Amino acid sequence: MAVLAESGSNPDVDLLYDINGLAKDAPHWFDLAMEFVGEYGLLLAMVLLVLWCWWSVRRRGGEDAAPSVAALVWAPLAAGIAVLVNVPIRGFVERPRPFVDHQGLDVLVSGKTDFSFVSDHATITMALGVGLFVANRRFGLVGIGLALLEGFCRVYMGVHYPTDVVGGFALGTAVALLLSPLAMALLTPVMRAVERSPRAGWVVRRRSVPGVLVPGARRAVESEERDLAA
């Protein structure tokens, strides 16, 4: 189990060389940009995307606000759980980084001494993307697209095999989807309680401006008016 790809005839290795070979032909400034994007930039972008989605959900309000915010809370939790699950997987497979076994790679990030399978970056970003998709499909599709870009960057940088990335995608997706029903069952009542709180309700729903009714309140008032008219 120590090495999953040992020869250049392996399609996994061939694809590694093809993608990483792009770095050799690219300008130095582009490689520096890819190094930052692949190591930090896309993770930061995913965090900002989650915050943007939360801001959009709380501004819109409505009856689905609490479940949507619960799903957004689940997204980073799913990413954290997926990374924890990856710890024993890495220890069991013990796959060295590609530059350890294969010469001629253009490695953009130095100091990587841990095992390669599966990619933490791919796992985190895909778990966040799928978690976002549970909360909001439009934001989720953007998040999944960023996760795919993250996977490409990790291979481009020479620090992961393509199958490391695919494994990370599978792990992040599995954790985010399979545990989602349980997570939503636990988190949605909590978010509904927060929504009713006079102090913390702003986390779930934007506070209404005096004289302006949010959609849920408007429906409640209309129903009360019909009851009084009856």
Side-chain angles (χ1 to χ4, degrees):
M1 299 298 294
V3 180
L4 297 182
E6 295 183 348
S7 69
S9 62
N10 190 311
D12 193 25
V13 178
D14 292 341
L15 188 57
L16 164 69
Y17 276 106
D18 288 341
I19 296 177
N20 180 256
L22 299 174
K24 296 182 178 181
D25 300 328
H28 181 63
W29 64 265
F30 185 82
D31 284 347
L32 291 177
M34 289 292 286
E35 175 186 349
F36 175 79
V37 169
E39 193 73 10
Y40 309 107
L42 287 170
L43 292 177
L44 177 60
M46 291 297 298
V47 172
L48 294 177
L49 187 64
V50 171
L51 292 175
W52 185 10
C53 185
W54 165 73
W55 185 261
S56 175
V57 166
R58 68 177 293 273
R59 286 192 63 185
R60 185 175 65 250
E63 297 177 355
D64 295 334
S68 296
V69 173
L72 289 173
V73 173
W74 167 238
L77 290 177
I81 293 173
V83 170
L84 291 177
V85 172
N86 189 29
V87 172
I89 293 176
R90 280 194 169 194
F92 177 71
V93 177
E94 294 185 343
R95 185 186 203 182
R97 295 280 180 171
F99 52 79
V100 175
D101 293 324
H102 303 284
Q103 303 298 318
L105 294 174
D106 192 2
V107 183
L108 302 187
V109 179
S110 60
K112 298 289 184 180
T113 58
D114 55 342
F115 294 122
S116 183
F117 185 89
V118 296
S119 167
D120 278 338
H121 282 72
T123 301
I124 292 172
T125 51
M126 186 56 75
L128 286 172
V130 174
L132 266 175
F133 189 81
V134 174
N136 184 288
R137 290 188 177 183
R138 179 166 56 91
F139 281 93
L141 290 175
V142 175
I144 292 172
L146 291 178
L148 295 174
L149 179 58
E150 176 68 73
F152 175 83
C153 288
R154 302 307 290 176
V155 180
Y156 180 95
M157 294 160 61
V159 294
H160 280 293
Y161 294 97
T163 48
D164 296 338
V165 170
V166 174
F169 290 162
L171 177 59
T173 300
V175 170
L177 287 184
L178 294 179
L179 297 182
S180 177
L182 175 61
M184 293 299 293
L186 295 175
L187 292 173
T188 299
V190 174
M191 291 301 106
R192 292 198 186 279
V194 171
E195 184 180 18
R196 293 191 295 268
S197 171
R199 292 186 177 182
W202 62 270
V203 173
V204 177
R205 188 197 297 265
R206 181 179 60 174
R207 295 185 184 278
S208 59
V209 180
V212 178
L213 296 176
V214 297
R218 184 181 300 277
R219 286 193 295 269
V221 170
E222 291 174 351
S223 176
E224 182 178 352
E225 289 176 349
R226 287 195 298 269
D227 292 340
L228 291 176

